[in-house]
Amino acid sequence: MEEMILNETPVRTSRNFHINDIKLKDIMIPENMTSFHNVLIQQDTSDISIDENIDDISCIYGVGSPLMNMPSNKTLKMTINSKSNKEVKVDFSFNPDNLNLMDKIELIANENTNATVILKYEATCNEACFHNLILKVFAHENSNLNVIIINFMNLSSHHFMSIDNELGDYANVNYTIIDLGGKESITNYYSNLVGKASQNHINVIYLGKENELFDLNYIGELRGEKSDIHIEVEGALADHSKKHFKGTIDFKKGAKKAKGNENESCMLLSDTAKSLSLPMLLCSEEDVEGNHSSSAGKIGKSELFYLMSRGFNEKEAMKLMVRAKFNHIIESIKNETLKEEILQKIDERLD
């Protein structure tokens, strides 16, 4: 296949930074998308309706046209009417009979509703899998929605996510994204905070090993008065893994007294891991507050020595330090079983 150019930044920077987009070769997009059967839906309420037939959905940005135009082989539409925080968990399990998934999911949080939606993708086989998600979220007035996305794909797989959000007045949307798998893991996240006092908080963990590549493109456009976005990305890279982080917060006209914050931090666990970051603040409005920070550094030798002096070997000490880095994000997950599973996967990846 020809080279694909994906995940372009909304504003171009110098080519010398090598971060405006990501160029991928030798990725075969499946032509025959047979039905994907390994889907388990668990829910504790009838106040969240699920329909497998949806109208076509689109994203303002998305990872790129070759992937956005693929035919889907799984669609879900969830309409949330619950007033208390009810949970829906959807498990997508890849195996030799279910290797390719193009899923389109629409979440509609109606006014004054409250819910948690968990989407988990896991490869239980060693074969190369292909996953491409398009997720569209509409959060209406005074709704509260928690979205948790778990990537447990294997290291031979291709993993793509295009996420698009629209927030109404006083809507509150919180994301927790645990990104732990895939030969390539490419994420394009866009949020349109059009509503007054709308809030969008995004917490992300990534952990790379071997030759994994993460390309993370997070875009927030604030239009509503007193709207608020916060992007928190914590990562660690081992072996020859690489990460590109692109974070853009754009204050549009009408976003008076809006706030935008983005923080990205990467722990380098080897001398050959590479981290590139591009945090950007754009502004067309007065009386707004924007902050950004980005950092990358090797694992602290003094801290490592301290832990080893307390009886831990180097690998165990490294696991503890990575866990400590990720802990505040993992602890925000209320599902205890899922939390333990994430911690187990982190340990396995650091073995």
Side-chain angles (χ1 to χ4, degrees):
M1 182 180 177
E2 295 181 358
E3 181 179 72
M4 287 194 297
I5 300 176
L6 304 174
N7 228 10
E8 297 185 29
T9 56
V11 175
R12 310 296 283 179
T13 62
S14 171
R15 292 181 181 178
N16 294 333
F17 293 149
H18 302 293
I19 202 170
N20 283 322
D21 47 45
I22 185 75
K23 298 179 177 63
L24 298 180
K25 295 181 179 180
D26 302 324
I27 294 181
M28 298 298 296
I29 296 179
E31 294 183 359
N32 299 314
M33 297 295 289
T34 56
S35 297
F36 191 93
H37 296 291
N38 273 15
V39 182
L40 175 63
I41 300 175
Q42 305 171 68
Q43 62 185 118
D44 57 4
T45 179
S46 59
D47 290 331
I48 302 176
S49 64
I50 300 177
D51 190 345
E52 295 195 14
N53 297 308
I54 66 173
D55 297 327
D56 195 30
I57 57 177
S58 61
C59 297
I60 300 299
Y61 291 99
V63 293
S65 57
L67 296 166
M68 301 300 292
N69 297 326
M70 283 183 61
S72 59
N73 61 348
K74 188 63 182 179
T75 57
L76 292 172
K77 179 179 181 178
M78 302 186 198
T79 305
I80 298 165
N81 293 301
S82 59
K83 305 301 180 182
S84 58
N85 188 9
K86 298 297 184 178
E87 180 179 292
V88 172
K89 184 170 182 281
V90 186
D91 290 330
F92 299 87
S93 182
F94 294 74
N95 64 18
D97 296 321
N98 296 269
L99 292 174
N100 302 315
L101 172 62
M102 167 65 196
D103 54 329
K104 294 184 179 181
I105 300 176
E106 186 176 29
L107 303 181
I108 302 173
N110 286 327
E111 291 184 17
N112 303 308
T113 57
N114 194 340
T116 296
V117 176
I118 301 171
L119 304 175
K120 177 185 164 190
Y121 302 90
E122 183 172 14
T124 59
C125 59
N126 294 322
E127 288 91 341
C129 305
F130 183 96
H131 175 231
N132 184 21
L133 164 68
I134 298 178
L135 172 63
K136 183 77 174 186
V137 172
F138 296 96
H140 295 292
E141 184 176 352
N142 203 38
S143 59
N144 186 68
L145 177 62
N146 303 302
V147 181
I148 301 172
I149 302 177
I150 311 293
N151 167 23
F152 287 162
M153 302 297 288
N154 63 42
L155 293 178
S156 301
S157 297
H158 309 295
H159 175 71
F160 304 95
M161 295 195 299
S162 299
I163 302 170
D164 191 296
N165 305 274
E166 183 176 309
L167 281 66
D169 292 345
Y170 304 100
N172 181 23
V173 177
N174 300 303
Y175 273 83
T176 302
I177 299 177
I178 310 297
D179 201 354
L180 301 183
K183 182 179 179 180
E184 303 95 6
S185 183
I186 314 297
T187 301
N188 185 284
Y189 180 100
Y190 168 71
S191 194
N192 182 14
L193 287 87
V194 68
K196 180 179 180 180
S198 54
Q199 297 186 55
N200 185 202
H201 288 195
I202 308 107
N203 291 309
V204 182
I205 288 172
Y206 64 87
L207 176 57
K209 63 182 294 186
E210 297 184 11
N211 292 301
E212 270 188 289
L213 169 64
F214 296 89
D215 194 85
L216 314 175
N217 193 3
Y218 284 79
I219 305 162
E221 294 181 348
L222 296 94
R223 291 181 168 83
E225 183 180 345
K226 295 184 179 179
S227 53
D228 185 342
I229 190 169
H230 187 99
I231 303 170
E232 184 80 24
V233 180
E234 298 279 0
L237 297 173
D239 306 323
H240 295 272
S241 58
K242 298 178 182 178
K243 178 269 316 181
H244 304 154
F245 169 76
K246 298 164 279 193
T248 305
I249 295 177
D250 191 354
F251 296 95
K252 299 293 188 180
K253 276 290 185 181
K256 288 185 180 297
K257 299 186 182 302
K259 295 181 180 180
N261 295 280
E262 57 178 326
N263 304 300
E264 191 269 335
S265 175
C266 179
M267 179 184 290
L268 301 175
L269 306 179
S270 75
D271 293 332
T272 50
K274 294 183 180 180
S275 170
L276 288 176
S277 297
L278 177 66
M280 290 192 290
L281 294 176
L282 308 175
C283 189
S284 304
E285 183 57 273
E286 299 178 354
D287 194 15
V288 298
E289 179 183 331
N291 302 283
H292 64 72
S293 66
S294 179
S295 63
K298 294 181 180 179
I299 194 166
K301 292 185 177 180
S302 59
E303 293 90 342
L304 196 61
F305 176 79
Y306 175 82
L307 290 172
M308 293 175 68
S309 70
R310 294 299 184 270
F312 297 99
N313 62 37
E314 184 175 359
K315 185 174 291 186
E316 291 170 337
M318 190 175 295
K319 286 182 182 180
L320 286 174
M321 293 184 70
V322 172
R323 274 191 173 211
K325 181 178 180 64
F326 294 163
N327 186 63
H328 69 286
I329 292 177
I330 295 173
E331 284 300 314
S332 68
I333 297 174
K334 305 304 181 184
N335 187 310
E336 293 296 327
T337 301
L338 185 60
K339 191 185 303 184
E340 287 301 315
E341 191 175 359
I342 292 167
L343 291 172
Q344 181 181 342
K345 291 291 184 180
I346 289 172
D347 285 349
E348 289 175 1
R349 290 177 67 79
L350 291 172
D351 281 337

